[in-house]
Amino acid sequence: MSLTTCTIHAVQRTDKSVYVTRELVKALRLTGAKTITVKVGSKSATVPMRLIQRPGQQLFLPLSLMASLRLPRIGSCLAISNTAREVRLGPVIGVLTNITSGSAPFGSKTGFIRQVIATGSGRSFPVAFSPRDVNWQTGTVHALIPREGGGWTRKTVPLPDVVYNRLSSRKAEKSAGMEGFKERFVRRGIPLFNWSFFDKWDVYKMLDGDDAFKYVPESRINPSPEQIREMLDKHKFIYLKPTAGSLGIGIYRVTYNPKRGYFVRYRKGGRNVLLRYNKFEGLVGMLGAERGRLQNYVAQQGIRLIEIDGCPIDFRFHMTKTGADQWVVAAIGAKKAGKGSVTTHIRTGGQLMTPEQALRQLYGARAEAVLNNAKETAVTLAEAIENNYNHLLGELGFDIGIDQNEKIWMFEANAKPGRSIFKHPSLKDQDRDSLANIYEHCLYLSRFRTRRDV
């Protein structure tokens, strides 16, 4: 197995031969082969191979062969040979997402998709596509590729070597036929990672019984009034969260004070609301617990988090897998809750800080040790979720808290984490690093690596 970089050229020749420089033949260990099988994504062709006296690692393909292989472009890419008679060019990396019409085809995610594609575009063939762009009969994808001067162009390319799933809505992911659509890639031997969004209860069930379960607050699915009362008596405050929620929408923070009653905080109409009830029955009526309004909700133990200026702090950990198939902490953002807010989300008045800024205020010289402990815990959690999940993962987002006794807690795990923390100017390098990790993991999954990389 040999891996190198080559430069592909198009030539106008009537014969079907592939012309290869001696340097490339040597690098790929193709010596002695009379014919060669060239593969690009799902397409392949077996053709005569001829040596050419040119410097460098270069490959010259007839236009007719480029058309049959659906080669996305000429220029530089990776080349790998598993045998002396086969060369794979690429990889073709497919970003699966939602596409709309207009100059921003991926809506608010357009800038991010462009970043993902730009990260690997110099030595691979990254493209973006939606489920309706796949033609299983021809083994092709009518994909979108960014133009150098701006905008996007359509090109028909082979089925990819690997798929990075960034479908951006739960509705799209749960639409009819989507599970079967993704399974078709797997049946063809095409790795697809970040299979679907997690529901909050999914993660609780995955970790139940694992050593990492100690980092998860006590939770109840579809809580009854009796369970809510029991959790409030035990923990004094809880959160009620929609199982498929995001961005803090629909969350209630419920607090019990034996002398003053029950307090509920939530967000409505763009403002924070605080209500008080003397009796538990009033709380239950407001929540609609007896009318089934807490179906598809999770009741989660409240944790007394570390605070700055009386406002709780939690942390968003952005986890990625690397080209060595290892979990790493790609970035961390500290989020300080706004006054009176139920959550630390920026959209509800939260403030974004670096973890160093936050922890130095609280722990001084011990800040680095506290942060390192949280990083090690995050890697442990990522490994535990992956070990208990039935599909490939390459990226995770954790909402992690540190309580006032310095214990680490994981409140949320996201299989398709947002990237709002990268808006902090101090996290620009981590933004680039996280995308580089995803690209390298795509190389790993698509088997564009040498044996020493395995």
Side-chain angles (χ1 to χ4, degrees):
M1 181 183 290
S2 300
L3 176 70
T4 190
T5 303
C6 73
T7 303
I8 302 171
H9 304 270
V11 291
Q12 290 186 329
R13 298 187 68 98
T14 56
D15 67 323
K16 299 284 188 181
S17 300
V18 171
Y19 293 82
V20 189
T21 60
R22 290 187 180 277
E23 284 187 42
L24 185 57
V25 165
K26 184 178 179 181
L28 294 175
R29 300 176 186 172
L30 301 175
T31 308
K34 300 295 185 187
T35 61
I36 186 172
T37 299
V38 182
K39 294 186 175 182
V40 180
S42 61
K43 298 294 182 183
S44 65
T46 301
V47 293
M49 184 181 77
R50 302 186 189 281
L51 290 178
I52 186 170
Q53 299 297 329
R54 295 282 186 92
Q57 297 183 174
Q58 301 189 64
L59 188 66
F60 295 81
L61 301 179
L63 291 173
S64 59
L65 181 58
M66 287 180 56
S68 66
L69 290 173
R70 295 290 187 178
L71 188 73
R73 61 166 176 78
I74 58 173
S76 179
C77 74
L78 293 174
I80 190 166
S81 60
N82 296 317
T83 72
R85 295 179 180 275
E86 178 188 293
V87 176
R88 294 173 63 215
L89 304 174
V92 181
I93 298 172
V95 184
L96 174 62
T97 187
N98 309 95
I99 296 178
T100 60
S101 58
S103 58
F106 314 104
S108 62
K109 301 289 190 292
T110 299
F112 167 63
I113 299 298
R114 188 179 281 275
Q115 276 185 293
V116 173
I117 290 176
T119 302
S121 61
R123 57 184 188 134
S124 60
F125 305 131
V127 301
F129 68 99
S130 73
R132 66 175 179 270
D133 295 323
V134 177
N135 187 324
W136 296 107
Q137 285 69 42
T138 60
T140 59
V141 178
H142 195 47
L144 276 170
I145 301 172
R147 294 195 200 100
E148 282 190 23
W152 299 78
T153 188
R154 286 275 187 183
K155 188 145 193 170
T156 300
V157 302
L159 288 174
D161 293 292
V162 60
V163 177
Y164 173 31
N165 181 11
R166 286 301 304 200
L167 284 169
S168 56
S169 79
R170 290 176 184 268
K171 183 179 178 181
E173 197 126 67
K174 291 185 176 180
S175 61
M178 187 57 68
E179 285 292 300
F181 171 79
K182 291 183 287 190
E183 288 286 359
R184 292 183 81 161
F185 286 103
V186 176
R187 287 200 298 271
R188 288 175 180 245
I190 299 170
L192 184 151
F193 67 98
N194 291 15
W195 189 262
S196 65
F197 289 95
F198 290 153
D199 283 348
K200 292 174 176 59
W201 194 245
D202 292 339
V203 179
Y204 194 85
K205 287 189 297 182
M206 269 190 271
L207 293 180
D208 193 1
D210 194 285
D211 287 345
F213 194 61
K214 63 188 175 187
Y215 301 114
V216 183
E218 180 186 350
S219 302
R220 294 285 182 272
I221 185 74
N222 302 328
S224 66
E226 292 74 20
Q227 288 174 324
I228 291 173
R229 187 198 292 269
E230 178 188 311
M231 290 185 72
L232 284 171
D233 286 343
K234 182 177 180 181
H235 302 296
K236 297 300 181 277
F237 80 98
I238 63 172
Y239 287 92
L240 296 166
K241 302 179 178 182
T243 56
S246 63
L247 302 175
I249 296 169
I251 293 178
Y252 298 96
R253 184 183 192 270
V254 184
T255 305
Y256 171 53
N257 182 309
K259 294 182 178 179
R260 300 185 62 204
Y262 300 88
F263 295 83
V264 186
R265 287 189 186 274
Y266 61 100
R267 194 163 178 86
K268 183 178 181 180
R271 64 187 183 91
N272 297 320
V273 177
L274 173 62
L275 301 176
R276 184 176 77 87
Y277 297 91
N278 288 322
K279 295 185 177 181
F280 182 70
E281 291 73 20
L283 169 68
V284 169
M286 177 266 165
L287 294 173
E290 291 182 326
R291 302 192 304 275
R293 275 182 52 199
L294 294 184
Q295 289 296 307
N296 300 317
Y297 261 74
V298 169
Q300 188 179 81
Q301 168 191 351
I303 303 296
R304 298 288 177 190
L305 297 175
I306 54 176
E307 297 179 349
I308 294 178
D309 303 326
C311 298
I313 299 282
D314 69 10
F315 303 85
R316 166 56 62 91
F317 277 64
H318 198 104
M319 313 293 294
T320 56
K321 295 202 87 176
T322 65
D325 201 32
Q326 300 294 316
W327 284 105
V328 295
V329 178
I332 309 171
K335 298 177 296 176
K336 176 184 172 185
K339 289 286 185 184
S341 178
V342 183
T343 71
T344 58
H345 288 87
I346 309 305
R347 59 181 287 279
T348 58
Q351 178 187 347
L352 184 61
M353 310 166 70
T354 68
E356 291 81 7
Q357 286 172 329
L359 293 175
R360 271 199 301 267
Q361 289 190 50
L362 294 161
Y363 296 107
R366 292 184 53 246
E368 185 176 358
V370 173
L371 184 58
N372 285 338
N373 180 40
K375 287 179 179 178
E376 290 172 9
T377 302
V379 170
T380 297
L381 283 161
E383 291 171 345
I385 288 174
E386 182 180 38
N387 290 339
N388 291 287
Y389 192 52
N390 294 327
H391 304 287
L392 295 175
L393 288 168
E395 187 178 29
L396 284 168
F398 290 137
D399 286 339
I400 281 178
I402 303 173
D403 72 17
Q404 295 178 2
N405 296 315
E406 288 187 34
K407 180 177 177 181
I408 308 294
W409 296 91
M410 189 272 287
F411 306 119
E412 304 270 350
N414 302 291
K416 298 190 187 175
R419 302 184 67 84
S420 60
I421 63 170
F422 295 114
K423 293 177 182 176
H424 195 288
S426 296
L427 296 179
K428 287 194 180 299
D429 287 346
Q430 288 94 325
D431 187 7
R432 286 190 296 269
D433 290 346
S434 71
L435 294 171
N437 287 345
I438 290 166
Y439 172 67
E440 292 294 331
H441 193 58
C442 285
L443 297 186
Y444 170 83
L445 291 175
S446 59
R447 302 181 305 283
F448 271 76
R449 62 192 191 276
T450 59
R451 292 191 189 282
R452 64 178 175 273
D453 297 325
V454 178

